[in-house]
Amino acid sequence: MVQQASAPVIVTAFPREVREIEHTLIPLADGTRLAARIWLPADAERHPVPAILEYLPYRKRDGTNDRDALTHPYLAGHGYAGVRVDIRGSGESDGLLFDEYTTQEQDDAIEVIAWLARQPWCSGAVGMMGISWGGFNALQVAARRPPALGAIVSLCSTDDRYADDVHYMGGGLLGGDGLGWASFFFRSMCHPPDPGLVGERWRAMWRERLDNVPLFLETWLGHQRRGAYWKQGSICEDYAAVRCPTFLVGGWTDGYSNAIPRMLERLSCPRKGLIGPWAHAYPHFARPGPQIGFLQEMLRWWDHWLKGIDTGVMDEPMLRAWMTESVKPARHHEILPGRWIEEPCWPPPDRAVHRLFLSDGGLVTKGAPLDPRPISTPQTVGKEAGQWCPFGGGDDQAGDQRGDDARSLTFETAPIERTFELLGAPVLDLELACDKPVAHLVARLCDVRPAGQSTGESLRLSYGILNLAHRDGHETPAPLVAGRRYRVRLQLNDAGAVLPAGHRIRLALSTSYWPLLWPAPERATVTILRGALDLPIRPSRVETAPRPFAEPQTAPPDRITTVAPGVKRIDRLGLELGTHGRSRWHVEDDDPTSAVAELAHTDTLARGDWTIRIETQLRLSCTRETFLVHASLRAWEGANQVCSRTWDRRIARDCL
């Protein structure tokens, strides 16, 4: 059955009256104080409740205000304390922030959890929830096992900071999203605390941040291999460390869905997984739809683990996933048609592998001759890739792949005779040779619609990237030797998709994928000598209909007024926030060292006579041997410039 998108129902009356503590400071052992915003039942001091912590650097005052208003009051109205804490060095918290996912961040979280458990309004039980950064640190803190942490909900997150995050993919440097994130994080950490909350000390706090904010991109480019830097905070280093119950949530359209099947398989704690059609957003308002009553699903989870109420949540299958129907490719989908399926455990014991061989005749089910096939694609292949991590609100998803397919090496089946359901990660096994020490190989799995049906459009179902210098692992990459024959394994992203009878399956191979992937140092030719593609197929079963999800609900949104293009006002605060940006991405078809990315932004904050302007620039270019990074930061309070800094860095390429 195909579900339709649903606008969330705004709930204004809850079982328990809600009160808000707009700003409080949590003291840490070293004297630092972290800023918190708390929603809780009005009678919580007489009837204590569990606390749910969301712990982020994204500014509780104005950065996540919109989505916090939808979620935390709802949890409070149903008997929990929703707690938003600004990480050290962000928002209204004290201190400085020097990087992502540090040990200091985890240490602070452990103190925050202990503080929450001691509050008179808290029952002593604490949970953690979060999406993206908050999903990451929920896993990381769970691995530290603070005594009061009873369960977590981790959305759009990862267990492996090197192999499955926004910086590197398959040993290749992520371009568009990686640099976009570097720019966003850099300028976000330059925003001041709000004088309305911290008083006159806001200026000294802000100046200290401006004087000390690092060039984060320099740090990340300084760690091009999967070493100790990336292992810190990657729970895949010790899955057994996570013992508290873990609910893993994501979407096929998001960049982080691969981690969910991996963690379901390798964690040993009580765990559940949920993968919808969604991009990078909470499922009660995410696009593409259909949205679900995710807040109600979280309440079932929290009630079971933090209140001891038998909600039946642990009697249900380990994984619920959206099986997406074949659709017309587009850069934006408001909804992806499909149906919910269930898997009692992961991986499914009855999952089959459908093997297809690369041959002169295309993709075939039996081994057949294949003449050597050289690939050296133009650097601009990738125009229809979309973003590595779509957010679903704009045209950020993969489009019709025909243009990129036409400039790639493709292998294709005849029209398939029966419908397949793909569930899991396709794997490509190849024998190849290369004429350069470093080269990329990008594989895309596409659903090609019949010629009479949308004229043969190509829908990307999955893709994978491998820096061939990383063929034996990301810790010890080694240059290729020209002419030597190598066997490599390239695992594509997990997917849940229907391949209808009459359609064709296409495998498209390229050595470039701009701007999603930063180019290799030289234009290389990769020669495919032999290959097989394994597709994970979900077998047909006699199934009962899954328990339907409730319709999405939220608390009332905060009132936001659009003041001008790119400028909004949080009416409750009288605070106007503006952001204006421009970017340039360029590469010549025949020269990977011509690649250049430039991102410039102006952010403004204003309330009455208080006005702030922050201008940042970030530029990345390269030679065969070196990455060239230029960045600048300028900041004004009113008409007075208070900061002007520039960075110019040369960072050696290391098999990248």
Short mmCIF file of all heavy atoms in Angstrom, two decimals, residues 44 78 201 218 264 364 372 424 433 484 536 610 646:
data_model
loop_
_atom_site.label_atom_id
_atom_site.label_comp_id
_atom_site.label_asym_id
_atom_site.label_seq_id
_atom_site.Cartn_x
_atom_site.Cartn_y
_atom_site.Cartn_z
N ALA A 44 6.65 18.58 37.75
CA ALA A 44 7.73 17.59 37.78
C ALA A 44 8.45 17.51 39.12
O ALA A 44 8.98 16.46 39.47
CB ALA A 44 8.74 17.89 36.67
N HIS A 78 4.22 14.91 27.62
CA HIS A 78 3.94 13.49 27.82
C HIS A 78 4.82 12.87 28.91
O HIS A 78 5.05 11.66 28.93
CB HIS A 78 4.13 12.74 26.50
CG HIS A 78 3.05 13.03 25.50
ND1 HIS A 78 3.10 14.13 24.67
CD2 HIS A 78 1.89 12.40 25.21
CE1 HIS A 78 2.03 14.13 23.89
NE2 HIS A 78 1.27 13.11 24.20
N ARG A 201 28.89 40.17 29.59
CA ARG A 201 30.07 39.37 29.27
C ARG A 201 30.01 38.77 27.87
O ARG A 201 30.96 38.12 27.42
CB ARG A 201 30.26 38.26 30.31
CG ARG A 201 29.19 37.19 30.33
CD ARG A 201 29.34 36.28 31.55
NE ARG A 201 28.41 35.16 31.48
CZ ARG A 201 28.74 33.93 31.10
NH1 ARG A 201 29.99 33.66 30.75
NH2 ARG A 201 27.83 32.97 31.06
N GLU A 218 41.47 22.60 7.75
CA GLU A 218 42.90 22.27 7.85
C GLU A 218 43.10 21.01 8.70
O GLU A 218 43.90 20.13 8.35
CB GLU A 218 43.66 23.44 8.45
CG GLU A 218 45.14 23.18 8.63
CD GLU A 218 45.86 24.32 9.34
OE1 GLU A 218 45.18 25.22 9.87
OE2 GLU A 218 47.11 24.29 9.35
N LEU A 264 22.97 -2.58 13.47
CA LEU A 264 22.02 -3.63 13.85
C LEU A 264 22.71 -4.99 13.87
O LEU A 264 22.44 -5.83 14.74
CB LEU A 264 20.84 -3.66 12.88
CG LEU A 264 19.86 -2.49 12.95
CD1 LEU A 264 18.77 -2.66 11.90
CD2 LEU A 264 19.24 -2.35 14.34
N VAL A 364 25.00 -9.85 -17.35
CA VAL A 364 24.39 -11.15 -17.65
C VAL A 364 24.48 -12.04 -16.43
O VAL A 364 25.30 -11.82 -15.52
CB VAL A 364 25.07 -11.81 -18.86
CG1 VAL A 364 24.85 -10.97 -20.13
CG2 VAL A 364 26.55 -12.02 -18.62
N PRO A 372 38.95 -6.02 -22.39
CA PRO A 372 39.36 -4.93 -21.48
C PRO A 372 38.66 -3.62 -21.83
O PRO A 372 38.58 -3.23 -23.00
CB PRO A 372 40.87 -4.84 -21.71
CG PRO A 372 41.26 -6.22 -22.15
CD PRO A 372 40.11 -6.72 -22.98
N GLY A 424 19.61 -3.81 1.10
CA GLY A 424 20.97 -3.99 1.58
C GLY A 424 21.95 -3.29 0.67
O GLY A 424 21.60 -2.39 -0.10
N ALA A 433 43.24 -2.71 -13.86
CA ALA A 433 44.58 -2.14 -13.89
C ALA A 433 44.44 -0.64 -14.04
O ALA A 433 43.39 -0.13 -14.44
CB ALA A 433 45.39 -2.74 -15.03
N ARG A 484 49.85 -3.23 -13.33
CA ARG A 484 49.62 -4.39 -12.47
C ARG A 484 48.12 -4.67 -12.36
O ARG A 484 47.30 -3.76 -12.33
CB ARG A 484 50.21 -4.16 -11.09
CG ARG A 484 50.04 -5.34 -10.13
CD ARG A 484 50.70 -5.08 -8.80
NE ARG A 484 52.15 -5.01 -8.93
CZ ARG A 484 52.99 -4.78 -7.92
NH1 ARG A 484 52.49 -4.56 -6.70
NH2 ARG A 484 54.29 -4.73 -8.11
N PRO A 536 21.69 -7.59 -3.29
CA PRO A 536 21.00 -8.23 -2.17
C PRO A 536 19.49 -8.19 -2.40
O PRO A 536 18.88 -7.12 -2.44
CB PRO A 536 21.42 -7.37 -0.98
CG PRO A 536 21.65 -6.01 -1.57
CD PRO A 536 22.13 -6.22 -2.98
N TRP A 610 21.40 46.46 18.70
CA TRP A 610 22.47 45.45 18.70
C TRP A 610 22.52 44.79 17.32
O TRP A 610 21.56 44.14 16.90
CB TRP A 610 22.19 44.41 19.78
CG TRP A 610 23.23 43.33 19.91
CD1 TRP A 610 24.50 43.50 20.36
CD2 TRP A 610 23.08 41.94 19.62
NE1 TRP A 610 25.16 42.28 20.36
CE2 TRP A 610 24.31 41.31 19.92
CE3 TRP A 610 22.02 41.16 19.14
CZ2 TRP A 610 24.51 39.94 19.74
CZ3 TRP A 610 22.23 39.80 18.97
CH2 TRP A 610 23.45 39.20 19.26
N THR A 646 43.02 35.88 8.50
CA THR A 646 43.15 35.12 7.25
C THR A 646 44.02 33.91 7.49
O THR A 646 44.89 33.89 8.38
CB THR A 646 43.76 35.97 6.12
OG1 THR A 646 45.07 36.41 6.52
CG2 THR A 646 42.89 37.16 5.78
#
